[in-house]
Amino acid sequence: MDKILHQPLGGNEMPRFGGIATMLRLPHLQSAEGLDAYNMATGAAPFDSMSVADIGDVAINTFNLLDAVRIIEEAYDEILEHNVIPMTMGGDHTITLPILRAIHKKHGKVGLVHIDAHADVNDHMFGEKIAHGTTFRRAVEEGLLDCDRVVQIGLRAQGYTAEDFNWSRKQGFRVVQAEECWHKSLAPLMAEVREKVGGGPVYLSFDIDGIDPAWAPGTGTPEIGGLTTIQAMEIIRGCQGLDLIGCDLVEVSPPYDTTGNTSLLGANLLYEMLCVLPGVARR
Amino acid sequence: MDKILHQPLGGNEMPRFGGIATMLRLPHLQSAEGLDAYNMATGAAPFDSMSVADIGDVAINTFNLLDAVRIIEEAYDEILEHNVIPMTMGGDHTITLPILRAIHKKHGKVGLVHIDAHADVNDHMFGEKIAHGTTFRRAVEEGLLDCDRVVQIGLRAQGYTAEDFNWSRKQGFRVVQAEECWHKSLAPLMAEVREKVGGGPVYLSFDIDGIDPAWAPGTGTPEIGGLTTIQAMEIIRGCQGLDLIGCDLVEVSPPYDTTGNTSLLGANLLYEMLCVLPGVARR
Amino acid sequence: MDKILHQPLGGNEMPRFGGIATMLRLPHLQSAEGLDAYNMATGAAPFDSMSVADIGDVAINTFNLLDAVRIIEEAYDEILEHNVIPMTMGGDHTITLPILRAIHKKHGKVGLVHIDAHADVNDHMFGEKIAHGTTFRRAVEEGLLDCDRVVQIGLRAQGYTAEDFNWSRKQGFRVVQAEECWHKSLAPLMAEVREKVGGGPVYLSFDIDGIDPAWAPGTGTPEIGGLTTIQAMEIIRGCQGLDLIGCDLVEVSPPYDTTGNTSLLGANLLYEMLCVLPGVARR
Amino acid sequence: MDKILHQPLGGNEMPRFGGIATMLRLPHLQSAEGLDAYNMATGAAPFDSMSVADIGDVAINTFNLLDAVRIIEEAYDEILEHNVIPMTMGGDHTITLPILRAIHKKHGKVGLVHIDAHADVNDHMFGEKIAHGTTFRRAVEEGLLDCDRVVQIGLRAQGYTAEDFNWSRKQGFRVVQAEECWHKSLAPLMAEVREKVGGGPVYLSFDIDGIDPAWAPGTGTPEIGGLTTIQAMEIIRGCQGLDLIGCDLVEVSPPYDTTGNTSLLGANLLYEMLCVLPGVARR
Amino acid sequence: MDKILHQPLGGNEMPRFGGIATMLRLPHLQSAEGLDAYNMATGAAPFDSMSVADIGDVAINTFNLLDAVRIIEEAYDEILEHNVIPMTMGGDHTITLPILRAIHKKHGKVGLVHIDAHADVNDHMFGEKIAHGTTFRRAVEEGLLDCDRVVQIGLRAQGYTAEDFNWSRKQGFRVVQAEECWHKSLAPLMAEVREKVGGGPVYLSFDIDGIDPAWAPGTGTPEIGGLTTIQAMEIIRGCQGLDLIGCDLVEVSPPYDTTGNTSLLGANLLYEMLCVLPGVARR
Amino acid sequence: MDKILHQPLGGNEMPRFGGIATMLRLPHLQSAEGLDAYNMATGAAPFDSMSVADIGDVAINTFNLLDAVRIIEEAYDEILEHNVIPMTMGGDHTITLPILRAIHKKHGKVGLVHIDAHADVNDHMFGEKIAHGTTFRRAVEEGLLDCDRVVQIGLRAQGYTAEDFNWSRKQGFRVVQAEECWHKSLAPLMAEVREKVGGGPVYLSFDIDGIDPAWAPGTGTPEIGGLTTIQAMEIIRGCQGLDLIGCDLVEVSPPYDTTGNTSLLGANLLYEMLCVLPGVARR
């Protein structure tokens, strides 16, 4: 039986301010036909190639972080039974840990492309082992990552010690501080990244605060001197050809997003991720 | 077969910031069980009494007002075939005309409870016969209203002539200017209103600008000296016992709703309307 | 020769978002015909009765407050030569002092209806004799006011001494603290006010912070527990019959007016003031 | 030795936009002299009567709610050793539970004046016993409250069952639903409240969402049809004469407070609370 | 007789927050003297070279798009009789069609420099032939453009088919997708553009959404990855030497312009356009 | 005796939304231990090298600019007696004049690195010699600057005459117009700057409007086409090695800073300035 190729609700079928609010205006339960969406820059035709849908929100426990982490892990265990590539919108960066745990059960150790202003490798925060700033230290300790195939891009901000980013380097990560990205295209960097993280399954985790506050003000810990939106697009487009088995876009915080443009940016970056998933046709 | 009693998605099942964004958090296509919502002031149990759902948006033509009006009328013709009580969220006040046209085909002339800062009985605007300020003059001319059973509440603002509100009065409408409402409960007024509009099917049309800008800033033509939210609730609760065959809440304009509280108010008023529909049980 | 009866630019002639931005959409240099604006509550027909126009802004010195005060006084000296009733939009409350000085040269001592959260009778601020909080003490000292014909309405907020409002009372002012206004119509108060301030020329000075922040958030020193917009309208409408020789509306601060509704309120109150000027016909 | 009577930093000593941002502009560690602040409506002279200071924030654990509750309780145990009356700014309503626990160790069971849109007597939320909606059920179960001396004012909103407010009533609480407060002064109600809760130590807990969103939009769960700011002032002023041993003002949420006026309101209500503490002189 | 060289109202004559709000602070009906405004980067002295004034808004029909288009065309027919170069501020991109129709009657086919995120060459939208996304297809079909002298710069966003931009290319347009502009000065591109569109009259149409949302958030259909403000200035400055016979700046949407900086940007770009009009002296 | 090395309040000791609001979260009167803050890009360890504290605000006279200037000068005279390097947050650019006067008494003529959209070398504004646009002309006339060691970076905007920036050049200043900075790193420029201004004490004055409105919208006179945040960081980091004897960051205007990110940017730039002060260790 043919798989159903869901299509985003077209702007000429329903005005853009109308219709159900879903990820990429995709159907929740209904199928739609006769519409394609193309990435005009890369020619990618994602909705022509795969069956994409919004499967709703995970009902977390908002009062207990550890329980929320448990709920997310169980939800992704269930999701991954269906052999899908999960694309997740956060939520703070804590959510990547339970997702990586579920991913590990299915795919084993994975490579990682991690865009962020912060390394998120603290040992603890206020005494807690699980928090949005400890995600990738826990992931390493739990053996979820293939450390030689990990890249962190966009790191900056003040640190508590001069060695803050060195923990990452000691694990074998390639750390690309923001200063290394200033004033240039990241297309050449991505050639190096593909070389580094290729050869196995890769997870893409994009913290919106990797991008400079001019483009992404709506986040909890903005840091100056960050990536441009164009560089963000170059990073994601530069992931084409990798064996992406999941991705997320985290730390968009609507109350701080006074113009709504951070949400718009997040939605667009998710669309760009969709366009580089394995199996997407290019016209 | 029993009808399905849909329930709003409970705040303890899914965090309030999660889940699909539907009217009153009602299902689009799925049923839910085990949850009731009660109006704590009146004891009304609407979801326990009737089958309520969000059936989505009408896909209007945003570039041609007359065509949009045609599309809306056809959509309501189809909706009303199912013997439902349509509750509509606007959109500007133009939409009430095609809804009343469809209502008229099914129910004949109807009474009207109309809350608004403006009478909306202009003959034309920029030469156009159909516009948000002409709705009720057209409705009268087309014979859609039982003019002796019409009440307009909250009228104020400057007028082009001293007779602006007199056209309404000449049709037999009861016009309650805002000044008549100042500093008091509208419960006594509503006894008079029920007397006036009862005895047949009644449509309730609520323009959010009937309410003062302190409570409803997010609208296109705010006018000072308006109703309070409490008075709005008294008006709606005072409609209990009427044979309501439809209602709308119009003129919420999100771009002007900088705190989001006008939308919140609109949603709450719609819920209050639901609680006074015929057949809703009280506990 | 007949005087020219300027009319506001009608919303059906030019969309409300278009046209030159003038006070009450009145002409700057051009006349217009065929349009009247009526106050639907009081029947006042101001544009049918008098020649009203926006004569532009006074070009103050923004770096030197005393010089700005001098410039304003000279501008009003010139304006008052034309036997007009100046209606002024501020600016902070400092501007009322030079206006009262110019008024005094023409009309002698005047009565005053002063709506405000603050008495503005400090002796000095940061050592300065002229500032927005000293206006009415200076006015008394300079003999500009007929102190037995002065009323201050809406006073509240914390004070530096328990006697803060007593200075006003010692001058013979009627002080109406906000608490005296709570939960009721001010129509009865205004009968008393007309009795107190009548019998001679009266100036009306309305500080928008007299109104509660729910209606007037866009001001520099908002104070809770203030007047409602409806009470403000009652105060102004209650001035009908007084010999008003000038009025102002001050302390609207656009940067703090995030919804624009404080500006809208200010414009409407100015319109209400226009409707009670001597000589305005009622239909 | 005389106690030090700290004074708020005066607006004529330091411009209001300058100086350290403390509660009521009180000193952190320094003393100040020669300034009093009077409540112009009630004549209360709080800074003339007692030693008031801002002792800073409790450093909670933001990732673990139960641990945060533990930290708060320990902090208040320490604070209460100094025989002070703690005035607390939240934070969500969860914080009242650890404060009441510490209060109980010192004062035993206390009466309660609780202003809120919600009863906060859920048994659990997302399976958690401790959360902002369960505070007062836990307080009852833990024997912290003298249930016959508890009043809840302003309750409204939808409920999950028609009996939602009945749990409170069964404990002996006086429940004043918002509808009981509409259109009138609450001074008479407060005479009843003083009768009900007097005769022992009383805690005052004010959830800003008890007030209507027109005045307090900056909160997480706004509900229409609430108290006015004036009624809030009447409630607090009506607590004069009670043996208040602590109070709080909770649920102000700055990200939703787009004009800053909810924060301003919260600060003013705290000042009103200060003015009714036992021992405050009136001039 | 010498033409009158109107000057913008100087910031040292009238504070920038005062005076009538006109385009570039130019007079409406009055002349001013003794002030020049120079472009400090290019030395252009526009107000020293030509007579510039704001001639007000076209009073469109807001309820009927086709009628609005008719009104605009007639207004420009009248304007162009005076041999002026019209500079227009929108309004959505629909307005360029009636302007081009009027331009065509006077100048014949014109070249076009079109900056935009979207090609605006749809055949129809919601079944309508005239809409903001069909402007340039209609212009081609009506023979208004010299297709070999048309350039579109900044195109991006998703498309309905992979061929979306190819329609433009088939007409002979030079299409410069946004990606071609990333990370570099557009001065070299503009040399190519002048070569392409020169040799006849040229119209310049600038949709503000051609610029990235970081600089121009206040628009209806923002798209990520766009031009920088600096590139926009390079494009306009690069038009110097062309025979510009009209220009517009469209799609600024104040309700979405929460900081006001999109309007500020639009005003500055219009000033830059003025500086490159034929006949402007350089010092 | 060892000097006390104050440390910023750590985000893991007190949540970032808690604690007293001081510059760089430094103590006001208390010392703290065990925490360092490193600049992750340059390795600078400012709090490990010097004693840094927030000494509060200068209590200016808000109603008299000349008196405010006098108060500031006296405050800095007193501050400089303690041999500190003052880092100042404005306030408008007027404050740099009294600071330079105090600096001059201690250090004699100084070099200047001045980042700004405007040269601030007007002779007068509205007839006043002291204003935010005249600061550096007054500083030259008063002999406060070593004119051969002055650089102005980022100048742009319209001018009243084509010679506006030439006055600076005539004094010997190096003027770097914004156009000279477009599309490139400013590291090479800063080598030239160090050459130009070195060899003596240097003051660094940073007007936030030197930066483009995309990054710094919250300021009074934003100008398009400005520096990027990254270039701002390059300028400040490029000042390392200079004998900086004071610095300021001026013209952040919170009412226009709708997202708060301009304030965040200002705080970060101040931190970057701290990192390049003489004597700061690098690890």
Side-chain angles (χ1 to χ4, degrees), chain C:
Chain C
M1 197 186 97
D2 288 345
K3 63 181 169 182
I4 300 168
L5 296 176
H6 297 307
Q7 302 296 333
L9 190 55
N12 279 340
E13 289 177 84
M14 170 67 80
R16 292 197 186 281
F17 53 77
I20 280 288
T22 56
M23 187 168 74
L24 301 174
R25 291 172 65 88
L26 287 166
H28 221 236
L29 290 177
Q30 300 157 289
S31 70
E33 289 179 41
L35 174 75
D36 293 309
Y38 286 84
N39 187 317
M40 297 307 286
T42 66
F47 305 111
D48 207 28
S49 314
M50 46 204 320
S51 179
V52 193
D54 180 335
I55 57 170
D57 299 330
V58 177
I60 61 168
N61 177 343
T62 59
F63 302 109
N64 185 319
L65 188 57
L66 288 179
D67 195 43
V69 165
R70 176 192 62 77
I71 291 167
I72 296 170
E73 184 175 341
E74 290 177 10
Y76 279 78
D77 284 343
E78 200 277 333
I79 288 166
L80 287 166
E81 287 174 7
H82 302 287
N83 294 317
V84 299
I85 301 175
M87 306 181 70
T88 307
M89 300 185 80
D92 79 24
H93 223 149
T94 312
I95 66 170
T96 303
L97 183 62
I99 294 172
L100 285 176
R101 285 171 175 169
I103 292 267
H104 181 256
K105 290 173 208 164
K106 184 175 189 75
H107 295 286
K109 290 192 178 198
V110 295
L112 176 72
V113 178
H114 171 208
I115 301 95
D116 205 324
H118 315 88
D120 289 357
V121 295
N122 291 311
D123 189 29
H124 54 81
M125 296 178 82
F126 294 117
E128 299 295 317
K129 286 289 194 176
I130 304 291
H132 60 82
T134 68
T135 293
F136 297 102
R137 187 180 285 243
R138 287 299 91 73
V140 168
E141 291 171 355
E142 297 182 13
L144 310 179
L145 299 178
D146 183 354
C147 291
D148 289 332
R149 294 195 295 119
V150 173
V151 177
Q152 293 186 302
I153 305 173
L155 306 195
R156 55 195 193 278
Q158 293 84 40
Y160 291 117
T161 76
E163 289 76 31
D164 270 20
F165 297 160
N166 287 347
W167 189 90
S168 288
R169 292 190 177 98
K170 283 179 196 154
Q171 313 311 312
F173 296 4
R174 167 74 164 94
V175 173
V176 184
Q177 287 186 225
E179 282 81 2
E180 192 176 337
C181 303
W182 289 359
H183 305 296
K184 63 185 175 205
S185 168
L186 297 190
L189 173 70
M190 291 312 294
E192 179 198 336
V193 167
R194 285 192 300 273
E195 188 70 20
K196 168 87 175 173
V197 307
V202 178
Y203 189 81
L204 172 60
S205 185
F206 202 121
D207 185 322
I208 199 83
D209 71 22
I211 298 176
D212 191 272
W215 290 271
T219 191
T221 50
E223 306 283 355
I224 67 169
L227 304 178
T228 68
T229 292
I230 286 169
Q231 290 175 324
M233 294 165 86
E234 289 175 330
I235 291 171
I236 297 173
R237 291 178 183 179
C239 288
Q240 200 205 355
L242 293 176
D243 181 20
L244 291 171
I245 43 68
C247 55
D248 61 48
L249 191 287
V250 299
E251 299 281 357
V252 173
S253 178
Y256 296 105
D257 189 23
T258 55
T259 61
N261 274 340
T262 313
S263 297
L264 181 88
L265 171 56
N268 272 279
L269 294 182
L270 213 71
Y271 170 77
E272 293 285 341
M273 291 179 191
L274 179 64
C275 289
V276 295
L277 292 187
V280 170
R282 307 228 160 187
R283 304 291 151 98

Side-chain angles (χ1 to χ4, degrees), chain B residues 87-133:
Chain B
M87 307 180 69
T88 308
M89 301 184 79
D92 79 24
H93 223 148
T94 314
I95 67 171
T96 303
L97 182 62
I99 295 172
L100 286 175
R101 286 171 174 170
I103 292 268
H104 181 257
K105 292 173 208 164
K106 183 175 190 74
H107 296 285
K109 289 191 179 200
V110 295
L112 175 72
V113 178
H114 172 210
I115 301 96
D116 204 325
H118 315 88
D120 290 355
V121 295
N122 290 311
D123 188 29
H124 54 82
M125 297 177 81
F126 294 118
E128 299 295 316
K129 285 288 192 177
I130 303 290
H132 60 83

